[in-house]
Amino acid sequence: MTLHRGRNLDVITSVQTVRSHWADLVKPGTFAAASLVAEIVDAFCELDLPMPEVYELLTSAAAALGASADPGALVPRFELRLLAALGLAPPDDRCVRCGAGFNEQGAWLDVDAGGLACERCGGGRGEINHLGPVDLVNFRAVGAIRGGAIRASATATPRCARAIDELVTWHLGKRPKSRGLLDTLPG
Ligand SMILES: [Zn+2]
């Protein structure tokens, strides 16, 4: 980008595209997933507040969505990593209410507390909120960042994806509008 320094505002005089993911994002399912990702970033981020980690995450998500045959499956991973970048990801090894480690039963989504609860605190929240041992391992894998890179193999289990979705909705105070678009458009 070339800028001409102005008195108050600088003027953009020329721009060269180095890399663009737009052409890869026009398929309906991909567009829906990308819309959801963009809407969530927009909702969580404040105007004029630089968040390089979130920007990095968004650009890598755009590239990954464009290249994926199942873009909707990438959304939970993006959501959990975004929560982590914002310091909002819940602990994945101890109860959000009492701090105890999880037993062999796994954990329960406790959306009122914004995290995962142990059997004693969350066991009454029903089967729909239950993350069994496999889901719990999956939750950790989906959110894992190793050396700054996304673990490409980690796809959220249905329960894990639902839990992450509910956590995002809880933090936003509303369900993202593009969620409905993703649910209706084919991948
Ligand atoms: Zn507990």
Side-chain angles (χ1 to χ4, degrees):
M1 190 178 286
T2 312
L3 295 158
H4 175 74
R5 195 173 288 284
R7 194 186 299 254
N8 297 312
L9 296 170
D10 296 339
V11 179
I12 299 169
T13 52
S14 72
V15 173
Q16 192 187 353
T17 303
V18 177
R19 191 169 57 233
S20 171
H21 303 296
W22 293 114
D24 296 326
L25 298 180
V26 295
K27 280 180 290 176
T30 310
F31 177 76
S35 298
L36 181 56
V37 161
E39 181 184 343
I40 292 169
V41 167
D42 187 42
F44 271 116
C45 294
E46 286 179 45
L47 213 59
D48 294 333
L49 181 67
M51 301 184 81
E53 201 178 340
V54 173
Y55 180 80
E56 195 69 35
L57 189 56
L58 179 61
T59 51
S60 73
L65 289 170
S68 174
D70 187 9
L74 298 180
V75 172
R77 180 149 51 98
F78 168 81
E79 289 176 324
L80 192 53
R81 289 200 55 199
L82 178 66
L83 291 181
L86 296 167
L88 300 173
D92 59 14
D93 59 350
R94 61 186 187 280
C95 177
V96 69
R97 289 197 183 263
C98 73
F102 300 131
N103 64 15
E104 67 283 356
Q105 296 300 317
W108 277 259
L109 172 67
D110 186 340
V111 84
D112 299 319
L116 306 178
C118 71
E119 185 176 19
R120 196 167 58 86
C121 300
R125 303 190 75 85
E127 193 52 31
I128 190 167
N129 290 307
H130 186 206
L131 298 180
V134 172
D135 296 307
L136 199 51
V137 167
N138 179 251
F139 189 87
R140 292 174 185 139
V142 165
I145 302 167
R146 304 265 156 79
I150 296 180
R151 271 168 44 111
S153 58
T155 301
T157 62
R159 289 202 183 199
C160 193
R162 180 186 169 275
I164 294 167
D165 249 10
E166 293 290 325
L167 288 170
V168 166
T169 299
W170 182 77
H171 280 292
L172 286 179
K174 61 179 180 189
R175 186 163 294 277
K177 277 190 236 155
S178 309
R179 165 58 57 194
L181 191 64
L182 184 61
D183 290 342
T184 52
L185 285 176

